[in-house]
Structures are given as structure tokens and as C-alpha cells.
Amino acid sequence: MAEEKKPDAAPPKPPGPPAPPPPKNPGFVTAIVDGKEVVVKPGTTVIEAAKAVGIDIPYYCYHKRLSIAANCRMCLVEMSNAPGGKLMPACQMPVAEGVTVKTDTPRVKDQQRATLEFLLLNHPVDCSICDQAGECKLQDYYMAYDRQPSRLDVPKVMKGKRVELGPTVTLDQERCILCTRCVRFMREVAENPQLGVAQRGNESFITTFPGQPLDDKYAGNVVDICPVGALTSTDFRFRGRVWFMSSARSICTGCARGCNTFLDYLNDVTYRYRPRENDAVNEEWMCDDGRTSYKYLNAGRVLVAREGRGANAQPLPRKVAPRRAAEVLLPHVAAGSLAVLLSPVASLEDLLVACKVAKEGLKVAEVYAGGRADGWQDDFLKRADENPNRKGLELAAAAYGLAVRPFADLVAAAGAGKVKALWAVGTEVPDAKAAEKLGALEVVAQSYGDTALAQHATVLLPASPHSEMDGTFVNFEGRAQRFEMAYFPKGESRPHWALAAELGAALGLPLAFASGREVFAALGPQLGAALGDFAWDSLASTGKRLGIVPLAAGTVDGRLPGNRDRVPSETTEDYRRAMSRTS
Amino acid sequence: MPYQLENRPPDLRESMYFPEIIRGIGTITKHFLKNLFFSRDANPDILARKRGGFGHSDNVTLQYPEERAPYAPAYRGLHRLVPREDGKPRCVACYMCATICPAQCIYIEAAEYPDDPVEKYPAKFVIDELRCIVCGFCVEACPKDAIRMDSGEHTPPSYERSAQIWDEKRLLRGPPVSYQYDPWLRRGSPSIPPDKLEEMRARAKPFPTVATDEASQTPGFSVRALAAEARDRAQAARK
């Protein structure tokens, strides 16, 4: 007893875990995932490490730009250092030195099937009315990992079916799998925690605070990050099925930020914008105003040239229209009473040709900058300047030695009688009432839509917006970004650069371009080094691609690879042909 | 199958001619009498008239169009949009039929109900019956049993092509159908009175997982029943 009470020596320390092996690659962590060796930075999660060697671990709640919740349990894998040999969430566990990860053992497969069975237990399976059908991770993973009928033989839990969370987002609480991506997005990225989870167990649902709508300006992003059909866009709701849509890589024209987007279209109609990943510009978010800014591409378009105003308006054949425009403008060129209004909504190619024609054909020394009026601004994405290409306008004007003056000066000059004729490339003006004052002028306008200024045009030429051409926008930082043509120009409309070149040809300039690429090749050097190392072919353009181009979902949400991911453009036949032409 | 003709000289009986002629007349008479009094076709469903027995011909000739043979249950007739009991279409405008249609003859525009348990419905559902190749893929693809080709009718002829373009108003017809887990039964619908809803719930069957004749056809549809009805009509007309 005494000996037990007073041990003469401290007991030997129990053997602890073995000392970690020395790192195989110093400064990095080396592990084995499914037999493949992977070397990553310390702190990298298993899911990212596996992705690096081409092994896909399924997940719902994980999002690389949000905090880790590890609540969907879809990414559980076998790890050699797991306590008690349990399955570990790959999205949460950092890779440790010498660890062996297995993602395709029967245990993991069973776990994935069981998880999906639970997730689908109370899911209404109303894919037929769900807008997410076709880009839904529940559908994809069911086909990849589950494929078993439901064993539930009692009625499913019923929740809110059509909850209008706010002006842009509609929630279906039954479809929700409670991954809380939206909650984390609102808290961490939008920094406006308007969403939360209420109730407990299988009764829990996503909701806002009572009486408070989800009215954040970035709320639309929760629709994109929702892996299932719970959060749907009120604007896009029931308007089309995503598997019919094709997708073009484009730039949002809502503000000067130039968020990278996918422009989803079908039958020459643009249905929606979705953010495209670009860490330097918008990460993978965009604001709600930008999302709904596509509408001018579809509605209220001018599709035939016309001459005369109001009741005297009559359509003008397209071949004749540029000559007619030149006839209207030429007397004022000699008299020096001509002004040129450029819109910063037009692309860089448009403005380069327009500046060349203005300088060399119309002999003006200054141009006026139109564009939409300023809007709201915040410190995240949205800029007050709601024009995508004001920087490009300044660069193009500077390239031709033209001074850029604000729109108000044009109104003043017109009021003073110094300006008697106007050539407007784009009819977006900050002040629609001031546009009325320009009604006394001879106006040759190139316009997307029938705006206030377009209605005062003596000669109106139909122009194609960015969905119908290949071109470039320069955002407020001076970053030139390419966008690609989604569909051919509608009706008789043509891009601004084509119309301006035709006008220039009618004025006697040797201008003829076949494509936006040719425009940039011919006139881009005028810009000097203003665009840095921008290369027009940086966005490998394939022009109009016939048939349905599969939606490129992979970059936005990390959905399953396969036919839903765009084939990397470098590997396409089109790209190789384009490259062989250029080099 | 061609006759096997043996390459041999005629025997004594054949070379006498008359016994063979009489045998031939016998064969013809046998078939004449059989066709006059007995059917060649053992299918009992092909005729709606009184058949068999002495004095009733079993001949299969139909006096079309006064008499019509009922089609088999799998016959793909004119499309119909299946209604619910409250008269709205079962269709939820999921575009499955339009997606699978090889002739691309289905045009759909979706819209939203303000107060129905099923939010989505087809504001426009148009089938160009001239383009339709009657393959029945739309029926196979439909996840809601909302389009069927069980009407047993041909597309009626018309003098204008435009009359062959059937919109949702013309397509929505026939007996209504509801299943156990249909949302309007599960959640109730403002357009169905509560007592009617209770009755519908009690009567509802599970959604058919296997397309059997009984499940995939209009309730009560039966070739035999149709034949019996036609027989009754014919008897009534005779009296």
C-alpha cells in the first residue's frame, strides 16, 4: 500500500503517437490519395488536394470562398490518421504528412449512398417544375453515387413551397438540403447576415428574420451557390429550361467593374447572366442590378434602319442607310457645326472605328461622352459609373488625339447654336430630358434600342449590343476584357464598328472590316501600351458556334466534370485553326 | 412458302384429269362454305356484331365507317392533356416531352399559378399534329402522366393546316386523373372543395411505376367494353 501511495519513481510516460515522419518535400505536405502522390501546401484540405490530382470527392456544403461547415457529410473519406478509423470530412481535414486517403472504398461508397438517401428523404423530387433541373447537384450525384429508390413509406415533411425571400430570390424550403451555403455567403461575403436556419431537425428551414426581406444587393449570388433548386431566381423562374440554353463568355455591362459573366441564351434571346470566375475582378460574384441588366439586349430593340422622325419615319434599306447618313452629316463637316457623341456602353472596337471616322472623316477635334447616368456604389463590386467601357472610350479618343467632353457640354453647345448636327454612336445619355433639346439637331444615331435620343434621329441605324459581337471592354482599372458573340446580330442590326466603318467608307475613308478581330488588329496598335499585355485572342474565340453549347457550370460551382464543362478552348479544333491562322 | 413440286411424270389418276378437277371443285367449295359461315379469325375482339352460330356470318369484313374495329389498348391515338378533377391540366410544363420529341412538334410556354399547390403550368401547350410522327415518346417521357395518347382516335381530318395545330384548350379533355401523392391531394387546393378532396384522397391510387395497360390507360377503358357498347348501339339501331 505504502509503495503504491508513494511510488519512488514517476511512472514511465505512456507511449504517445509516433513522431510525425520527416516531410518528404520540405515546405510542402505529401500525401497519397487513391494511390496517387499529391504534394500540396500545408493547410490544404483533402478535397482540394484530391482535386489537384483529378480525383473528385462529392460535396454540397463546401465552397472554396466560404467558411467550412462540413455539414452535408457527402465528402466523407477514409484517412489513415482518422481517430478510431472513422470516416473524415474531406472538405474540413487538412492534408497531413504521409497520410493515405481513400475515396473509392466500399465503406466510402456506402456512406455516400446513405448520405444521399438521407438528403433525398424529404426532398419533394419535383424536378419537373424545378428550375435547377439540369444543373442540380442532387440530380448529378444521385445518378453518380446513389441510384436507389426511396425507402420512405410515410408522407414527406411539408414546408414552404414558394417563399419570396426578397425581390430577386424565391425559396422552396422543401428542396433545401440545409447546406447553409447561402447563410454563410450572406454573412461572410455580402456581410449582411439576412438569412438563417430556423427550427430543428427535419423541420428546419432557411428563412429571413420575420418581416425583413432578403434585399441585399448581392442576394442573387445565393441562387448560384445553392447546389439544389431551393433558391431560385425570381427573374429567371420558369422562363426556360437550362438544358436548352447555350452559354457565351461575356462581360456584365451593368457598371464599370466589368464582372465576368456567362451569358445564357436560347434562340437569339438572352435569358440570364451568371458570374464567371475571375479572381482579379469579381471572384465569382456579381450584383443583382448587373444580373438584370441583360434586358436591353432583348426588348425594345431597333432592328431596321429608319429615316425621319415621328410620323414621318420610314424604313431605310440597309445598303442605302450609311450613304444617307453621310449626306446628312457632310454639309455640317464643312461648316464645323458637327458634334460626335460616343457611348461608353459600346465596345473598344466600336469606339476605335468611331474615333477614326470622327477624326479623319468628320474632322472633329473633340468628342462628347454619353452613357448612362451614375448609380449607387459600394466597396465590393458595384461602381457608380454604370457604363462598362468609359475607360475604353477615353483610351480610344486619346489614341486619335480627340478631347473627351461631358454630355452637358454638348447640350450647352446645342443650346448656343454652335452644334447643328450630331453623330451618336450609341444613344445612351445620362439625362433623357436633355436629349429632348438635341431634337432640333440633325441627328444620325446608331442605337441598340429605341431610346429618347434615337426617336429624335434623322437617320437611325440599328446597332448590335455585346451579345451579338466579339469585342473588348476596358473596365475602370484599365483592365481590357474580351467578350464573345453569343448569337448573330438580330434583324438588320450590325455592330457599331461595322456601321461606323460603312459611314466612313461613304465619307471616302478606306475602311472595311470583316470582324472585331480585324478591327483590333488594324486599329489596336493606335492605343500603344495602354492595354498592357492584353492580347485580343486571350479569350479564344470561336465566333458563332452552331448548336447547343453546353452550359459551363464547372467554374462557378465546382459541379461534376463531364459534358457540362466546356471543353478547354485550347484543345478545340476551332482554336487550333484560329491559332494556325494567326501564327 | 412455295409449294414443293415434285419433278415426276403424272400418275394415272392425274393424267385422267377429271378426278383432279372434281378434287379442286371440292377444295373451293370447302373454303367457300367456311368463309360463308365460319370466321377465319379467332380474335373475338375484332367484331362488335353478333357472330357465330347458324345463320350469322363470321366473315371479318367491316362496314367501315359505320362499323369500326376497336383498337388495341396500346394504340397511339390523338394526344390529350390529362386534366385534374378541378379541370386544370396535370401538366407542369417541365418540357420533357418537348425535349424528347424527335419531330420537335411540341411547343410549351410555362407560367405560374398564384395560389395552386403546383406552381407551374403550361400557359401554352401546342402540338403540331402534322409534324407529329406518333412515336409516343412524349407519353413515355412525361413524369406526371399528363400527356396520353389513349383517346383511341385518329387525328380528325381538316381542310386547313392550321386546324391541325392543337393548343392546350383542345388538348385538355377526357377523364380526369389523380394519384395519391399529387400535390393538390397532399396539400389541398383552393379550387377543390374539402369534401370532394376527401373523396379524391380516399379513391386515389399510387402513381404507376410500371406502365401496365390498366395503369397507363384511361380508367374504364377496355376493348371488350367498347365492343359491347358498339353491339348495343347496333342492336338499338336495328330495333
Side-chain angles (χ1 to χ4, degrees):
Chain A
M1 287 294 275
E3 274 182 8
E4 280 180 25
K5 274 181 184 173
K6 280 188 184 175
D8 42 2
K13 274 177 72 179
K24 199 171 172 189
N25 300 287
F28 292 91
V29 179
T30 311
I32 309 276
V33 182
D34 282 356
K36 292 184 188 168
E37 187 177 88
V38 52
V39 183
V40 292
K41 286 184 196 159
T44 309
T45 54
V46 172
I47 212 167
E48 291 291 340
K51 201 179 277 178
V53 289
I55 295 165
D56 277 295
I57 299 175
Y59 60 86
Y60 290 108
C61 68
Y62 171 72
H63 194 283
K64 67 179 174 186
R65 296 183 200 278
L66 301 176
S67 62
I68 306 293
N71 63 12
C72 74
R73 312 314 278 177
M74 195 62 204
C75 65
L76 296 187
V77 292
E78 277 189 45
M79 292 175 70
S80 61
N81 63 349
K86 290 197 292 187
L87 296 175
M88 302 302 280
C91 67
Q92 194 181 28
M93 294 302 292
V95 180
E97 181 66 32
V99 156
T100 307
V101 179
K102 286 183 183 161
T103 71
D104 56 356
T105 59
R107 254 184 99 201
V108 175
K109 297 276 170 211
D110 278 358
Q111 165 65 27
Q112 286 165 346
R113 198 174 302 120
T115 303
L116 267 171
E117 185 170 17
F118 274 127
L119 289 178
L120 287 166
L121 205 58
N122 281 312
H123 189 84
V125 203
D126 53 351
C127 305
S128 41
I129 59 170
C130 179
D131 273 339
Q132 190 86 357
E135 51 181 7
C136 174
K137 284 178 84 172
L138 272 178
Q139 287 182 331
D140 293 347
Y141 285 168
Y142 177 80
M143 297 312 286
Y145 299 106
D146 189 7
R147 302 193 68 135
Q148 62 182 348
S150 173
R151 289 185 285 171
L152 184 76
D153 54 4
V154 293
K156 294 182 178 184
V157 174
M158 288 197 287
K159 300 182 197 169
K161 202 65 189 142
R162 183 167 20 186
V163 185
E164 285 179 15
L165 288 182
T168 55
V169 178
T170 305
L171 169 66
D172 188 319
Q173 291 166 339
E174 284 193 342
R175 296 183 195 143
C176 178
I177 58 165
L178 292 162
C179 70
T180 68
R181 267 186 182 183
C182 50
V183 177
R184 283 176 283 146
F185 170 83
M186 292 308 292
R187 196 171 56 212
E188 294 159 16
V189 180
E191 293 178 349
N192 190 358
Q194 291 180 322
L195 288 177
V197 184
Q199 287 286 6
R200 285 170 300 189
N202 63 4
E203 301 280 337
S204 32
F205 54 85
I206 301 287
T207 185
T208 54
F209 292 102
Q212 295 182 22
L214 175 70
D215 55 0
D216 190 80
K217 287 292 189 188
Y218 293 91
N221 291 303
V222 301
V223 176
D224 285 329
I225 61 173
C226 184
V228 301
L231 293 157
T232 51
S233 160
T234 306
D235 179 54
F236 183 63
R237 192 172 160 84
F238 298 165
R239 286 186 53 220
R241 294 305 246 168
V242 294
W243 58 80
F244 291 129
M245 308 248 168
S246 302
S247 199
R249 293 161 293 176
S250 189
I251 302 292
C252 176
T253 53
C255 81
R257 172 73 62 177
C259 291
N260 291 215
T261 58
F262 286 115
L263 181 149
D264 290 353
Y265 62 95
L266 167 66
N267 290 346
D268 295 2
V269 175
T270 302
Y271 278 84
R272 60 175 179 177
Y273 287 159
R274 286 177 301 137
R276 182 160 55 101
E277 193 167 2
N278 186 339
D279 274 328
V281 181
N282 58 326
E283 295 182 342
E284 56 187 272
W285 319 119
M286 66 189 290
C287 69
D288 288 359
D289 289 0
R291 264 171 214 278
T292 49
S293 67
Y294 68 87
K295 299 198 170 172
Y296 76 99
L297 305 175
N298 303 330
R301 289 282 302 280
V302 177
L303 294 179
V304 285
R306 105 184 156 215
E307 185 176 20
R309 298 174 177 146
N312 299 328
Q314 50 188 351
L316 198 59
R318 210 185 81 74
K319 301 262 181 202
V320 186
R323 238 178 299 140
R324 191 72 199 91
E327 284 166 20
V328 170
L329 294 180
L330 262 179
H332 298 277
V333 174
S337 54
L338 176 72
V340 173
L341 175 69
L342 301 183
S343 166
V345 181
S347 73
L348 184 62
E349 288 74 11
D350 297 337
L351 295 169
L352 280 171
V353 180
C355 285
K356 185 176 175 70
V357 172
K359 179 76 175 176
E360 295 170 12
L362 302 175
K363 312 273 194 292
V364 297
E366 56 189 21
V367 291
Y368 297 91
R372 305 172 188 135
D374 280 0
W376 59 283
Q377 177 163 353
D378 63 12
D379 56 359
F380 184 28
L381 293 180
K382 180 73 167 57
R383 304 290 301 174
D385 179 12
E386 298 204 333
N387 301 291
N389 200 27
R390 189 173 293 279
K391 190 83 176 175
L393 197 163
E394 286 161 9
L395 291 177
Y400 284 94
L402 296 165
V404 180
R405 297 181 58 187
F407 181 69
D409 287 7
L410 173 64
V411 179
K418 279 187 275 184
V419 170
K420 293 204 172 59
L422 178 68
W423 178 42
V425 178
T427 54
E428 298 85 7
V429 292
D431 187 357
K433 278 195 182 147
E436 304 282 324
K437 294 182 189 160
L438 304 177
L441 310 181
E442 291 272 6
V443 179
V444 172
Q446 307 176 2
S447 182
Y448 305 143
D450 222 349
T451 59
L453 181 55
Q455 283 168 4
H456 290 300
T458 328
V459 177
L460 181 65
L461 305 169
S464 308
H466 73 292
S467 54
E468 297 163 22
M469 61 181 287
D470 287 303
T472 313
F473 286 137
V474 185
N475 82 348
F476 75 105
E477 309 161 305
R479 182 191 307 278
Q481 304 190 96
R482 284 267 290 104
F483 54 85
E484 69 182 356
M485 178 200 283
Y487 38 87
F488 286 122
K490 286 185 191 175
E492 295 200 333
S493 70
R494 292 294 176 270
H496 280 306
W497 57 257
L499 299 175
E502 282 174 12
L503 177 64
L507 292 168
L509 294 178
L511 285 180
F513 302 108
S515 67
R517 192 167 180 281
E518 273 187 25
V519 172
F520 195 84
L523 306 185
Q526 290 275 345
L527 296 167
L531 298 183
D533 58 353
F534 168 73
W536 205 85
D537 290 323
S538 59
L539 185 75
S541 180
T542 52
K544 166 73 180 173
R545 289 147 306 154
L546 298 174
I548 291 178
V549 183
L551 286 183
T555 58
V556 172
D557 202 16
R559 291 191 179 110
L560 284 186
N563 66 343
R564 303 197 52 71
D565 279 327
R566 181 190 290 280
V567 178
S569 49
E570 293 78 12
T571 66
T572 62
E573 187 58 36
D574 284 324
Y575 183 78
R576 279 198 294 277
R577 252 186 270 129
M579 289 311 289
S580 64
R581 272 203 303 275
T582 52
S583 54
Chain B
M1 193 84 180
Y3 288 100
Q4 291 290 328
L5 289 181
E6 290 167 46
N7 193 10
R8 59 169 173 82
D11 61 13
L12 178 65
R13 186 167 60 92
E14 287 164 358
S15 57
M16 286 170 71
Y17 294 108
F18 283 98
E20 283 299 294
I21 287 172
I22 292 164
R23 194 165 74 90
I25 289 172
T27 303
I28 290 168
T29 312
K30 188 179 88 185
H31 283 286
F32 172 74
L33 291 173
K34 188 180 170 195
N35 287 348
L36 197 60
F37 296 114
F38 306 97
S39 170
R40 282 172 297 184
D41 198 317
N43 180 359
D45 281 333
I46 199 124
L47 279 180
R49 64 173 74 141
K50 169 90 173 109
R51 304 173 320 111
F54 192 77
H56 291 285
S57 170
D58 282 355
N59 205 313
V60 290
T61 304
L62 278 173
Q63 301 301 319
Y64 190 87
E66 288 81 19
E67 282 182 340
R68 299 186 187 201
Y71 293 118
Y75 176 74
R76 295 194 290 266
L78 185 62
H79 305 88
R80 71 178 179 108
L81 275 180
V82 181
R84 297 152 36 170
E85 270 83 353
D86 55 359
K88 294 173 179 171
R90 284 184 63 85
C91 174
V92 297
C94 72
Y95 291 73
M96 284 293 157
C97 49
T99 304
I100 202 164
C101 179
Q104 301 188 2
C105 68
I106 304 181
Y107 175 82
I108 303 173
E109 263 178 37
E112 192 168 357
Y113 285 131
D115 60 345
D116 197 87
V118 179
E119 299 109 281
K120 204 175 171 188
Y121 75 99
K124 275 189 187 170
F125 190 104
V126 183
I127 299 183
D128 186 346
E129 296 287 354
L130 291 174
R131 250 195 206 194
C132 174
I133 58 167
V134 208
C135 65
F137 283 7
C138 49
V139 182
E140 299 284 326
C142 184
K144 296 286 168 192
D145 193 15
I147 185 169
R148 289 183 177 185
M149 299 174 84
D150 64 356
S151 54
E153 301 166 14
H154 311 276
T155 311
S158 71
Y159 285 106
E160 295 90 33
R161 299 182 79 86
S162 60
Q164 297 291 331
I165 295 171
W166 285 58
D167 63 2
E168 69 281 356
K169 293 189 193 69
R170 292 169 78 195
L171 287 169
L172 184 68
R173 65 210 186 97
V177 174
S178 285
Y179 294 110
Q180 233 162 33
Y181 291 116
D182 281 340
W184 52 94
L185 294 194
R186 244 172 12 122
R187 293 168 175 272
S189 165
S191 53
I192 306 176
D195 49 338
K196 166 100 174 164
L197 195 66
E198 281 310 311
E199 183 206 324
M200 282 164 64
R201 278 184 184 141
R203 217 180 44 223
K205 287 188 294 186
F207 193 86
T209 49
V210 180
T212 59
D213 274 0
E214 194 200 353
S216 64
Q217 294 295 333
T218 312
F221 181 94
S222 143
V223 175
R224 287 168 194 279
L226 281 183
E229 280 172 25
R231 198 181 303 134
D232 293 346
R233 270 204 307 279
Q235 278 179 357
R238 214 170 294 143
K239 283 174 190 170

